[in-house]
Amino acid sequence: MPQSKQNPNSSQARPDVLAAINAKAGGGHAEELAAHITREFAKHGLRAVVHLAAGGEDMIAAARRAVRDKVAIVAVGGGDGSVNAVASTLIADPQCESALGVLPLGTLNHFAKDLSIPLVLEDAIANIATGRRIRVDSGEVNGVPFINNSSLGLYPDIVREREKQQARLGRGKWLAFSWAAMGALRRYPFLRVRMRVEGQDHWRRTPFVFIGNNEYLMSGLDIGKRSTLMDGKLSLYVCHRTGRLGLLRLAVNALLGRLREAHDFDALTATEILIETHKKRLRVATDGEVTIMQTPLRYRIRPASLEVIVPPLEQAAAAPEEQPGMLAKLWGDD
């Protein structure tokens, strides 16, 4: 049975797949989950080593070893936070020969859904074994990569308070998020930012700024979905001149698929974005992980920077549409 200390540096032959998953996954049955993953890969003729990671740093370290040892596939089991951590490791090594495989074990799995990767574990393993390899873009802010999005303002504050409530009060993720969101809306802090996009300056007083890796659809039933991760551009979304009631109206427009019609909402695309504020340091969320960064914030797109395994074209075209809305996109998935 796979153990957390297994890795591709062992005396055994190099595995076909290094699968890094959270040791807390599987509802307390991570060992059984690891054994199941190993058996499923074996059904497709692939030898997999499953690394039960004690935390994010452990998962990143396992991915680095796999890249160094030229393991063909580095798979990650978890939500978007885990996927971003492992993907960032692959992106950071210019000599990387490993492709990313995704085992969607999170709550929302934005990255997997936008690439039509199956959400059922066994089907996701089959995809890794039989799928095609493509190169997708990633975003970057002050050198920190992200595969989905980055945000400033309300959302990083909500995440910080949510984590405090989870640690201090033992509340579940969604309950803690709800209380944190209500607290942030009561405070309703504004950012005064100058955004330089394609050589033009845009001044805004706003509760949030959202930057996506490629463009999110802003109209119709597909709102919040990305049709491609290979267009080589960032998307910028910012609301302005709005109070709490205006933000609620914006949320209703999002749910109805009418964000493009909102007068207090801007949507732009660019390859580079510079964001300045009077604050020297700012909380920044990247795929749900919040860090404090020095300003100004320099965003750029990194075209074709990540190789990932996705379904064959005919299978992707037939995949059911199961996409969260823009409000769900702001939720950071571990």
Side-chain angles (χ1 to χ4, degrees), residues 191 193 195 202-211 235-242 250 262-268:
L191 289 173
V193 296
M195 301 174 292
H202 303 264
W203 296 86
R204 293 291 183 267
R205 181 174 180 269
T206 177
F208 75 85
V209 180
F210 180 94
I211 300 96
S235 52
L236 170 67
Y237 308 99
V238 56
C239 72
H240 54 96
R241 300 192 305 271
T242 183
L250 193 68
H263 298 297
D264 50 3
F265 184 79
D266 294 332
L268 303 169

Side-chain angles (χ1 to χ4, degrees), residues 263-318:
H263 298 297
D264 50 3
F265 184 79
D266 294 332
L268 303 169
T269 58
T271 56
E272 295 186 2
I273 300 169
L274 177 70
I275 298 180
E276 297 178 302
T277 177
H278 68 280
K279 295 183 179 181
K280 293 183 178 180
R281 306 177 73 192
L282 203 62
R283 289 193 188 93
V284 180
T286 49
D287 290 338
E289 299 296 321
V290 178
T291 55
I292 297 178
M293 295 187 180
Q294 298 283 343
T295 59
L297 303 176
R298 301 179 186 276
Y299 285 87
R300 71 182 181 103
I301 194 73
R302 298 187 61 175
S305 52
L306 175 67
E307 187 174 53
V308 60
I309 303 174
V310 300
L313 284 172
E314 61 275 10
Q315 182 178 334

